Amino acid sequence: MTTTMAAPCSLVCCGEERDDDKAVIVRFSNGSVRNADNLDFTMYKNADENNPRKRSRRILVAESDRLSYVGNNFAAGSLKCNNLCNYYVGVLNKQTMQMEVHNAQLFNMQPVIPGETTDAAKPQDTTQTFRDKVDSLIEAFGTNKQKRALSSRRLNQVGSDTLHQAVAKAANTVINQKGVEALQQEVVETESQGDLALHLPPCNTDADIPENVYLFDDLLSPVDFGALEQAGSKMAALTPEELQKMTNDGGCLCVVKQLEKMPTVGEARDKVARCAFYLSLLLKLAQERNLTRKFGQEEGCPRIIQSKLFKTFTVETFKNGRVLNMVSTSMRAKIAAYSLALLLHMGHMTADLTLLHRDLGITESRIIEVAKSMGLTLTKPGRGKTQEAGLRDEHRQASLVLPLVKYDQFMERRKRKKMH
């Protein structure tokens, strides 16, 4: 047995090479080629030599009698290993027994069937938002916690979309049933009430008699009315001289007027006296800014009535480490509405707006706005010939008449001061 030794050879480096000098290594995706001599290879390069990214692009075409193959070193079908590794191929010169080492690049050859079009690489979706791109990254490389949060957010988004679709469907149903004009009229009627609607007493628009529109029990509950028994007795015992003194002092004129014309005996007198005391507290409350727990003690206000006033007609604020009860502008409008409703019950569904706005310390236009929001009928009788009648006729009256009056929006709109 003899051993045949391979002939010795040496490696020779070819030095610096251009891209055109690189050797080409091909790989056929559908198998091996049995007869490579029957293939005609053609290399195409990009014509843009100035662009550093495009000038290295190559397309390799291998044609045979039966099928053609195409490969490239860019786009989606290229081998990514070309960008990560350097490949070399050795070519042996059998005469000199020297192997030359050349740079190489790989091409993945794919068959091209005539009549079929290849799907071009999809361009990047430019309509994607930054949030969508971040979600895509989380799906691919995010942690389990991030993926759970993404899944939860998408489920909530689906629920929100379902809710919006249900609301839109319901809105379309209402529009089809009522019509656009009817809905617009309802909006105008609602806006005409303004912010005052939030501070009006509970209103029963379906009431059959005026006394049931603004129920007395909503103004003074039976428990509150019972607590005013002693204070009402003191109001009923006031002498004409004491009432005149109250008039001269210029305070609670509408209370004095109710006490002057209240019934002489019976439950009606007791009711007017108790309501007059409660009304005097409302008028005094409207003149205050910040309240203390001593409010109403001098007048003999029961504790339950004081708590009712603080809870219903004040807002709590925090200042200097203390909780204070403050009468805001909106609360003054609420006091005006409740005072007006109470006067209606005391005066057989008629109230003097002029006296009320003076006692409350607000403008006449403001009290008129409150009366209109409550749907009251406003009257101002014509002037009489005598001086006494003329003074009386200056007072504007408000009456509760069924059905309630609905005022136009432009009558309720207040002018705003221009900013300079």
Side-chain angles (χ1 to χ4, degrees):
M1 181 176 180
T2 59
T3 302
T4 304
M5 299 295 294
C9 66
S10 59
L11 297 178
V12 178
C13 182
C14 296
E16 295 184 0
E17 292 183 337
R18 298 178 302 173
D19 291 339
D20 297 340
D21 299 331
K22 289 184 178 180
V24 176
I25 302 176
V26 297
R27 185 184 68 179
F28 293 89
S29 61
N30 62 335
S32 302
V33 179
R34 295 180 179 178
N35 192 357
D37 295 335
N38 295 333
L39 294 177
D40 294 332
F41 289 91
T42 306
M43 177 75 75
Y44 299 93
K45 67 177 182 179
N46 197 293
D48 190 358
E49 295 288 346
N50 296 325
N51 193 326
R53 294 187 176 182
K54 293 183 178 181
R55 66 186 179 187
S56 60
R57 293 181 177 180
R58 300 291 185 269
I59 297 178
L60 182 62
V61 179
E63 297 179 345
S64 66
D65 297 337
R66 299 177 57 189
L67 200 61
S68 299
Y69 300 87
V70 176
N72 57 63
N73 63 351
F74 62 93
S78 63
L79 296 175
K80 301 301 180 183
C81 57
N82 285 328
N83 299 326
L84 302 176
C85 306
N86 289 328
Y87 291 88
Y88 298 92
V89 61
V91 180
L92 177 63
N93 190 339
K94 294 182 178 181
Q95 295 179 355
T96 62
M97 296 305 294
Q98 289 183 345
M99 180 175 289
E100 298 179 354
V101 180
H102 297 272
N103 287 321
Q105 55 182 338
L106 275 65
F107 285 88
N108 185 31
M109 308 300 292
Q110 297 181 354
V112 178
I113 300 176
E116 292 187 0
T117 57
T118 58
D119 296 335
K122 296 182 180 180
Q124 185 177 3
D125 188 4
T126 57
T127 60
Q128 275 192 331
T129 63
F130 177 77
R131 179 75 266 175
D132 296 334
K133 296 178 180 178
V134 173
D135 292 345
S136 300
L137 291 176
I138 292 177
E139 288 180 344
F141 308 105
T143 61
N144 292 334
K145 183 177 180 181
Q146 291 174 330
K147 291 180 179 178
R148 288 195 300 268
L150 175 61
S151 177
S152 177
R153 180 163 57 82
R154 287 180 172 175
L155 288 176
N156 293 336
Q157 184 177 1
V158 172
S160 178
D161 294 341
T162 305
L163 178 61
H164 286 311
Q165 293 175 1
V167 171
K169 184 178 180 180
N172 291 332
T173 303
V174 174
I175 292 174
N176 295 332
Q177 290 178 353
K178 292 188 174 182
V180 178
E181 295 182 359
L183 291 175
Q184 290 177 346
Q185 182 63 26
E186 290 184 4
V187 171
V188 170
E189 293 176 357
T190 303
E191 291 181 349
S192 65
Q193 301 299 326
D195 296 336
L196 289 174
L198 302 174
H199 306 294
L200 298 182
C203 179
N204 180 18
T205 56
D206 299 329
D208 52 351
I209 58 175
E211 287 76 10
N212 291 340
V213 176
Y214 297 102
L215 292 177
F216 182 78
D217 290 345
D218 292 332
L219 305 176
L220 273 176
S221 66
V223 177
D224 299 331
F225 187 78
L228 292 171
E229 180 180 2
Q230 184 177 359
S233 301
K234 294 181 180 180
M235 295 295 288
L238 292 176
T239 62
E241 291 76 12
E242 292 174 333
L243 295 178
Q244 184 62 38
K245 184 177 184 301
M246 292 177 61
T247 304
N248 295 335
D249 293 339
C252 300
L253 299 179
C254 56
V255 175
V256 175
K257 182 178 179 180
Q258 295 297 327
L259 292 176
E260 289 177 346
K261 63 178 184 179
M262 70 178 177
T264 55
V265 292
E267 295 181 359
R269 178 182 177 85
D270 181 53
K271 179 178 180 180
V272 172
R274 298 188 191 188
C275 292
F277 178 79
Y278 183 70
L279 180 60
S280 65
L281 292 177
L282 289 177
L283 299 178
K284 181 180 179 182
L285 184 65
Q287 303 292 338
E288 300 291 336
R289 177 65 178 175
N290 295 321
L291 301 180
T292 62
R293 290 298 171 180
K294 295 182 179 180
F295 176 80
Q297 290 183 358
E298 296 181 359
E299 294 81 2
C301 176
R303 176 68 66 178
I304 186 174
I305 299 299
Q306 185 193 58
S307 300
K308 175 183 177 66
L309 295 175
F310 277 59
K311 182 179 180 180
T312 310
F313 301 106
T314 65
V315 293
E316 291 185 351
T317 59
F318 188 79
K319 184 178 181 181
N320 297 330
R322 298 176 56 190
V323 177
L324 302 178
N325 292 86
M326 184 183 68
V327 182
S328 61
T329 303
S330 60
M331 288 294 104
R332 287 190 175 87
K334 187 174 184 179
I335 293 173
Y338 277 73
S339 300
L340 182 54
L342 189 61
L343 279 175
L344 291 174
H345 283 277
M346 297 171 66
H348 305 288
M349 295 296 114
T350 301
D352 191 326
L353 292 182
T354 302
L355 292 181
L356 181 59
H357 91 78
R358 292 175 182 175
D359 290 340
L360 289 172
I362 61 178
T363 61
E364 185 179 11
S365 60
R366 185 60 170 170
I367 196 64
I368 291 176
E369 188 177 357
V370 173
K372 289 181 178 180
S373 299
M374 297 175 66
L376 305 182
T377 301
L378 306 180
T379 58
K380 189 173 183 180
R383 292 180 177 273
K385 294 183 179 180
T386 61
Q387 181 178 3
E388 181 179 353
L391 292 176
R392 183 178 65 252
D393 293 340
E394 289 181 356
H395 289 208
R396 190 182 297 270
Q397 305 292 322
S399 303
L400 200 158
V401 181
L402 294 178
L404 299 178
V405 183
K406 294 182 179 180
Y407 294 90
D408 295 334
Q409 182 181 5
F410 71 90
M411 299 180 64
E412 299 297 321
R413 188 177 299 166
R414 301 178 63 188
K415 293 183 179 180
R416 297 179 179 269
K417 293 182 179 181
K418 293 183 179 181
M419 301 298 293
H420 298 285

